Amino acid sequence: MSDKIFITDDFLLHSEAAKTLYHEYAKKQPIFDYHCHLSPKDIAEDRQFENLAQIWIDGDHYKYRAMRANGVDEKFITGNASDYEKFAKWAETVPYTLRNPLYHWTHLELKNYFGITTLLDADSAQSIYSQCSELLKKPEYSVKNLLRKMNVKVVGTTDDPADDLQYHKKIKEDNFEIAVLPSFRPDKASEMEKGQAFIDYIIKLEKTVGYPVKDFPSLIKALQERHDFFHEMGCRISDHGHTNFYGEEYTANEVNLIFEKALKGETVSILEINKYKSAVLFQLALMNNAKSWAQQFHVGAIRNNNAKMLQDIGPDQGFDSLGDLNMADNMSKFFGRLSQCDGLTKTIVYNLNPRDSEMFAAMAANFNDGKIAGKMQYGAAWWFLDQKDGMEKQLNVLSNFGLLSRFVGMVTDSRSFLSFPRHEYFRRILCNVLGDEMEKGELPNNMKNIRTLVEAICYKNAETYFEINKQ
């Protein structure tokens, strides 16, 4: 293998039909990355990364988990080792990631951004690091040019309501031709279970809006004002990441008392927290509907499971997992309540536990109303599921329970500017699935019709669904 190119032009394409679909149609589509965690500051300032470790290793919890599993000391992951030492430990780990999606992603990214087809391992680490780091110092490898290189047309970042969006404003003022738009992520306003951190966030929100947030009506007023501000700044998508859906019955007075109790630092029960979350999410969903935004629900993660590591190095360092809560009832109640008052906007739901895939797809489809094609979306394979097997299963579940032809396609869901080949990875898998069925006679061998399907999923459906051009 060492003397042959691993990522060939026909990588993952196992039929002639698949090769035609990918090379003639999918490959040419721009990228509409409607959900990621890229830094607007880095884009606004057109950051030039100093070396490969900074752009590729820092903050990548996928790599962190693999390195820990391979016995790498934390010093070389989130610790104080040098950039090259961290990269070298990652390079040593790469051969052990065979059959993990990281092996595919790693070599796709090296090839697409840097033209490197050598396999990364301990022996090639130094030369690859030096070569890539030298390229990263060139103007054509600035953040904005990396986005251009991948033919990105739209980037949807993930932003807190209390953010002043100064970097989005600068990007817009600089007339950057790629649309970099904020997404409204108000999770911290509902995370009452976090105690003092929740109180601190409400204080932060107060400072942003300039008045006290002491009761539930003033909280909703503050969130509405920030929602309005985000809309003015080009936001057309909200994003909500929760362990579960919330559909508890509540009264306005009841929720107000719960909120006031939590602000005083008093103990609140799990039921009270769930009532509060139900009320906040319902009000946020109404705001989204009033502005015809699309809303996303990333549901099912149990975060920061390792208490010792949370204490030692902080949150979001690769110690998250998929949960196994029952979600169908709350999902039904939540969307049902919105539907009943005609308050349900375009919605994308993402599950993390593969056990729930069919349920999510079937439940979402209950709330299509015939007014918007593809209104209720069963979203792309997410986080632990965004690998070859997970993407194939997501395509099959969506096809079985809904309309694949209306799917708005893949996202990077990433903090790395080198992660856009995940769109290519998805497109190759999509074309291989369709091409295989064409050659088996399970789909008509009609390239014109299947071409239309591929182009729609890769880009055109997202362009229509999110209505970014109607700002």
Side-chain angles (χ1 to χ4, degrees):
M1 176 66 77
S2 61
D3 59 346
K4 296 180 180 179
I5 294 176
F6 171 49
I7 305 292
T8 66
D9 287 346
D10 293 334
F11 176 61
L12 297 178
L13 305 172
H14 303 310
S15 68
E16 291 305 313
K19 294 172 186 177
T20 299
L21 287 172
Y22 177 73
H23 292 298
E24 296 298 322
Y25 310 119
K27 183 179 180 180
K28 299 176 181 178
Q29 295 303 305
I31 289 176
F32 195 125
D33 198 52
Y34 54 88
H35 175 68
C36 71
H37 298 272
L38 293 179
S39 165
K41 181 176 185 291
D42 286 346
I43 300 173
E45 297 176 350
D46 201 16
R47 180 179 176 180
Q48 200 91 39
F49 285 88
E50 295 177 13
N51 57 57
L52 187 55
Q54 289 184 7
I55 195 172
W56 213 30
I57 308 293
D58 288 357
D60 190 336
H61 52 86
Y62 289 83
K63 292 186 177 74
Y64 291 176
R65 288 172 71 93
M67 292 166 77
R68 291 181 187 120
N70 200 43
V72 174
D73 188 273
E74 196 66 30
K75 171 186 176 181
F76 301 100
I77 302 173
T78 61
N80 59 2
S82 69
D83 286 343
Y84 179 70
E85 287 175 320
K86 290 180 178 180
F87 176 81
K89 289 296 183 181
W90 167 240
E92 290 175 13
T93 299
V94 168
Y96 294 92
T97 66
L98 284 166
R99 300 203 80 240
N100 184 291
L102 282 165
Y103 196 80
H104 285 168
W105 296 346
T106 292
H107 293 99
L108 270 173
E109 290 163 12
L110 287 174
K111 180 180 180 182
N112 287 6
Y113 287 98
F114 304 104
I116 291 174
T117 57
T118 304
L119 297 180
L120 178 60
D121 54 27
D123 293 335
S124 63
Q126 181 65 67
S127 63
I128 287 177
Y129 184 82
S130 298
Q131 184 177 344
C132 293
S133 296
E134 283 302 310
L135 287 172
L136 285 167
K137 295 174 184 177
K138 297 179 180 292
E140 56 264 36
Y141 280 82
S142 72
V143 158
K144 287 183 178 179
N145 282 323
L146 289 174
L147 295 175
R148 293 179 177 117
K149 185 178 182 68
M150 290 295 106
N151 196 20
V152 178
K153 295 300 181 186
V154 179
V155 172
T157 61
T158 303
D159 309 272
D160 188 272
D163 196 315
D164 62 9
L165 301 183
Q166 60 171 310
Y167 296 111
H168 284 91
K169 183 178 180 181
K170 183 179 187 307
I171 292 167
K172 192 171 184 177
E173 289 174 346
D174 290 344
N175 295 315
F176 185 38
E177 72 274 13
I178 297 171
V180 180
L181 304 174
S183 297
F184 193 71
R185 178 77 174 243
D187 295 354
K188 292 180 180 178
S190 66
E191 292 174 342
M192 187 177 281
E193 70 277 9
K194 293 190 175 180
Q196 187 59 47
F198 172 72
I199 296 171
D200 292 342
Y201 180 74
I202 299 303
I203 293 171
K204 181 179 180 180
L205 187 60
E206 287 180 329
K207 292 178 180 177
T208 301
V209 297
Y211 54 80
V213 177
K214 298 301 183 186
D215 53 24
F216 191 73
S218 60
L219 171 69
I220 299 306
K221 178 185 176 185
L223 291 173
Q224 180 71 71
E225 288 184 10
R226 300 311 296 165
H227 199 277
D228 293 343
F229 170 68
F230 270 59
H231 190 81
E232 292 171 6
M233 293 296 294
C235 179
R236 296 296 182 270
I237 305 171
S238 75
D239 184 46
H240 310 268
H242 294 281
T243 304
N244 204 339
F245 283 93
Y246 298 93
E248 296 289 346
E249 297 290 337
Y250 59 86
T251 66
N253 183 60
E254 188 177 23
V255 171
N256 193 50
L257 291 173
I258 294 169
F259 182 65
E260 291 177 348
K261 192 160 89 168
L263 289 185
K264 294 174 185 175
E266 298 177 10
T267 301
V268 286
S269 69
I270 293 175
L271 178 59
E272 287 176 319
I273 292 171
N274 290 345
K275 285 177 179 284
Y276 171 76
K277 286 176 179 281
S278 299
V280 173
L281 286 176
F282 181 74
Q283 292 298 322
L284 289 167
L286 292 180
M287 295 178 201
N288 295 335
N289 183 66
K291 291 191 177 73
S292 299
W293 285 11
Q295 59 189 3
Q296 302 178 92
F297 292 92
H298 289 86
V299 182
I302 299 180
R303 301 175 188 271
N304 306 311
N305 291 270
N306 190 321
K308 179 182 184 303
M309 295 306 290
L310 176 64
Q311 180 179 342
D312 290 350
I313 63 175
D316 305 321
Q317 299 294 332
F319 299 99
D320 308 313
S321 189
L322 51 87
D324 64 349
L325 297 176
N326 293 321
M327 302 188 192
D329 287 347
N330 279 334
M331 194 174 177
S332 177
K333 290 174 183 176
F334 178 66
F335 290 133
R337 188 175 296 160
L338 289 166
S339 180
Q340 196 164 23
C341 68
D342 199 23
L344 181 57
T345 191
K346 295 175 288 189
T347 301
I348 309 173
V349 295
Y350 306 80
N351 67 290
L352 203 54
N353 192 326
R355 175 201 68 183
D356 298 323
S357 299
E358 285 85 355
M359 183 276 286
F360 264 60
M363 186 63 72
N366 289 329
F367 298 97
N368 280 312
D369 56 15
K371 297 177 182 178
I372 300 173
K375 176 178 179 177
M376 301 298 294
Q377 291 268 330
Y378 174 55
W382 168 50
W383 201 345
F384 291 101
L385 304 182
D386 64 352
Q387 15 73 7
K388 180 174 179 289
D389 181 61
M391 291 180 194
E392 289 173 346
K393 287 181 177 177
Q394 188 270 347
L395 292 171
N396 289 333
V397 169
L398 176 54
S399 299
N400 289 335
F401 289 83
L403 297 178
L404 178 63
S405 56
R406 293 297 183 180
F407 180 37
V408 292
M410 195 59 189
V411 292
T412 60
D413 189 29
S414 174
R415 292 167 175 79
S416 171
F417 286 94
L418 298 186
S419 63
F420 285 94
R422 291 188 194 177
H423 282 267
E424 175 184 332
Y425 195 59
F426 166 78
R427 291 174 181 186
R428 288 177 178 272
I429 290 167
L430 169 68
C431 291
N432 191 61
V433 168
L434 296 174
D436 178 66
E437 293 184 356
M438 289 171 69
E439 298 212 345
K440 288 179 178 177
E442 296 175 10
L443 286 175
N445 192 11
N446 184 323
M447 192 59 69
K448 180 180 178 182
N449 288 349
I450 307 299
R451 166 192 178 176
T452 300
L453 174 68
V454 166
E455 291 176 340
I457 293 170
C458 292
Y459 179 77
K460 295 178 180 179
N461 281 348
E463 185 178 46
T464 301
Y465 187 81
F466 294 108
E467 301 183 294
I468 299 301
N469 293 329
K470 292 186 177 181
Q471 293 184 44

